[in-house]
Amino acid sequence: MVVIDGIVMGPTHCAYQNCSEKLANARTGVFCLMHESQHEGRCRIKTCYNAKEPNSQACVNHRQRWYDHVIRFGRQSVLGVRRIIRRTEEEGGPAWLRQLRRRNNPPHDQPNNETQEPDNYFTAPRFYCVETICAPCGVVIAWTKFVKSEGAAQIMDFLEDVYPTQESRPSYVCIDKACVVLKYLINSHNWNIWKTSTRFVVDSYHYINHRVTDYLCRIYCNPSPLNGSAPNLVVVERDVHGNQHYKRAFNTQACEQLNAWLGGFQSILNRMTVDNFNWTLHALLFIHTQRVIQKQYKRLNQNMQTQLPGQQINEDEVEANGVEIDRVD
C-alpha cells in the first residue's frame, strides 16, 4: 500500500498561461525569462498590447486597474490585513470577519473546480500544492508539485510517472478522493490498465465524510471492508482481556502526519524561488524519511531483544546506506 495526499504550498512561477517555469526576477517579476522578453514594455492586461506607462505596469487605458491593484494588494495593505486577521483570531473578532475566514472547501467525493484565471499579469501565481506518496510507515517515496489543482487527472499522471509498469504498481493506493479518481479512471477508459494490479481506497479520516449513498465509494473504496473483499486491509487482534477485535492493518494517515510536520516550514518555503524550494523540500523529506527508518530499526531491535536476546540490527547502516526519494517534475 501507498498513501498519497497534498498540502497547499508552493513557490511562485511564471504568470503566462500554462507556463510553470521559474521567474526571471524572483522579487518583482511575474514572467519567466522567455515570456519576460516577449512582454517587456507591454501593458500587463492580457488582452492589451499597448505600451505601459512609466512607473506602472499598465497602459493609459488601464492605469486605474493598476492603481486599484496596488492599493488592494500593496505590501503595506497586506501587512495591515494580516495584522487585523491575527488580532481577530486572538480576540474572537466581529462576526463578519469570522465569516470571511471560513473556507468553502468542496466535499472529498466531488471533483475540485479550478480557480478562474485572472485577466491580468499583475502578480505571479503560486503552485497549488505539493503532492507526496508515502508508505504507511511514513517513508516518503516520491513528491511533485501541482500547478493549478489537485484533480484526478493530475493524480493519475503522478502515479503513472512513479509506477510506469504493472509490476511496480502497489496493491492499494490510499487517497482522500479515491472515489473521484476511480470514477475518472472508468470514464477515461483507463480502468482496465489498473484494475488487475491496484485497488483505490479512501483514508479512514476522510471516509466518514463521504456520502453514504455513494455506492461506488462504499463498496470499492472502503478502507476497512468486513465482507472479505480486501482481507489484507483488516486484521484480527486481541485486547488486554483476550477479546478479539478488528483493526486496520495499515496506517492510512501517513501523509496527513507528514503534512502536519511540513506545515511548520510553509511560510519559509513559500518565500523561496523554485530551485531553492525544490532543494529545501527534498532535503526536509530526506531527513524525515531517515528519522522514520531509524525509528523502525529501533522498534525492530526492541522486538528482537524480547524474542531473541543478544541479536541486534546496526542502526548506523541507515545513515551509511541513505535513502532515495523520487522527485517528479
Side-chain angles (χ1 to χ4, degrees):
M1 170 184 279
V2 297
V3 186
I4 179 171
D5 196 14
I7 177 172
V8 178
M9 66 160 54
T12 53
H13 61 85
C14 180
Y16 195 79
Q17 187 176 7
N18 298 326
C19 181
S20 58
E21 295 295 323
K22 62 182 180 181
L23 300 177
N25 185 345
R27 292 181 62 86
T28 59
V30 296
F31 293 118
C32 62
L33 194 60
M34 181 182 68
H35 293 120
E36 181 70 32
S37 61
Q38 294 178 1
H39 289 79
E40 185 177 5
R42 279 174 45 184
C43 177
R44 292 287 176 85
I45 300 297
K46 291 184 177 179
T47 57
C48 182
Y49 296 91
N50 298 329
K52 62 183 179 181
E53 290 187 315
N55 300 323
S56 174
Q57 298 297 338
C59 63
V60 177
N61 299 331
H62 299 105
R63 60 184 175 185
Q64 189 59 42
R65 291 279 306 277
W66 169 247
Y67 293 152
D68 293 341
H69 172 83
V70 172
I71 293 173
R72 184 178 181 184
F73 299 103
R75 179 173 177 81
Q76 296 299 326
S77 300
V78 172
L79 290 176
V81 170
R82 289 176 178 173
R83 185 161 53 248
I84 293 174
I85 293 177
R86 184 170 62 251
R87 290 179 179 176
T88 303
E89 291 175 348
E90 295 173 355
E91 302 172 2
W96 64 269
L97 191 52
R98 293 197 303 269
Q99 187 72 20
L100 287 176
R101 293 205 313 272
R102 295 176 184 172
R103 296 184 61 184
N104 229 351
N105 293 330
H108 286 284
D109 52 354
Q110 292 182 2
N112 289 334
N113 295 322
E114 294 187 3
T115 57
Q116 186 177 2
E117 292 283 345
D119 63 346
N120 58 72
Y121 295 127
F122 290 158
T123 57
R126 292 187 177 276
F127 285 91
Y128 177 74
C129 70
V130 172
E131 199 80 3
T132 55
I133 298 178
C134 295
C137 63
V139 170
V140 182
I141 300 173
W143 70 275
T144 189
K145 301 187 299 293
F146 287 168
V147 180
K148 293 183 179 180
S149 66
E150 191 185 13
Q154 290 83 355
I155 293 171
M156 289 310 305
D157 290 341
F158 181 32
L159 286 173
E160 289 175 358
D161 288 337
V162 179
Y163 305 106
T165 62
Q166 185 174 2
E167 293 76 15
S168 63
R169 291 169 188 161
S171 300
Y172 298 96
V173 172
C174 181
I175 185 172
D176 56 0
K177 53 186 72 177
C179 46
V180 176
V181 175
L182 182 58
K183 293 174 184 176
Y184 167 79
L185 286 173
I186 295 174
N187 294 331
S188 61
H189 306 288
N190 291 325
W191 177 231
N192 291 331
I193 302 175
W194 285 84
K195 70 177 182 180
T196 57
S197 60
T198 306
R199 176 168 178 165
F200 292 85
V201 297
V202 181
D203 65 279
S204 57
Y205 176 76
H206 292 99
Y207 182 73
I208 58 177
N209 295 325
H210 284 222
R211 294 178 178 176
V212 180
T213 55
D214 191 341
Y215 179 83
L216 186 69
C217 180
R218 292 290 163 176
I219 298 299
Y220 296 101
C221 301
N222 190 340
S224 53
L226 300 178
N227 58 2
S229 59
N232 294 329
L233 296 180
V234 182
V235 295
V236 179
E237 287 194 354
R238 294 182 180 271
D239 57 20
V240 294
H241 303 290
N243 300 321
Q244 292 184 346
H245 65 276
Y246 291 107
K247 178 184 176 181
R248 294 186 181 92
F250 301 100
N251 174 26
T252 60
Q253 302 301 309
C255 281
E256 294 286 349
Q257 295 162 357
L258 172 64
N259 291 342
W261 180 72
L262 284 178
F265 306 94
Q266 183 175 12
S267 60
I268 300 174
L269 290 169
N270 282 345
R271 293 185 177 93
M272 295 183 178
T273 62
V274 174
D275 292 336
N276 291 344
F277 180 93
N278 292 341
W279 187 93
T280 306
L281 181 61
H282 199 83
L284 288 172
L285 295 178
F286 180 84
I287 294 172
H288 172 82
T289 300
Q290 278 195 324
R291 291 180 176 179
V292 170
I293 294 176
Q294 288 175 355
K295 288 181 180 179
Q296 295 294 327
Y297 272 95
K298 289 181 180 179
R299 186 178 303 174
L300 182 59
N301 277 331
Q302 291 175 356
N303 295 336
M304 291 184 63
Q305 288 295 327
T306 302
Q307 300 176 3
L308 299 172
Q311 295 192 14
Q312 186 174 352
I313 297 177
N314 187 7
E315 298 174 12
D316 295 334
E317 294 179 357
V318 180
E319 297 184 357
N321 297 333
V323 293
E324 183 178 350
I325 303 174
D326 292 333
R327 178 170 70 89
V328 180
D329 294 324

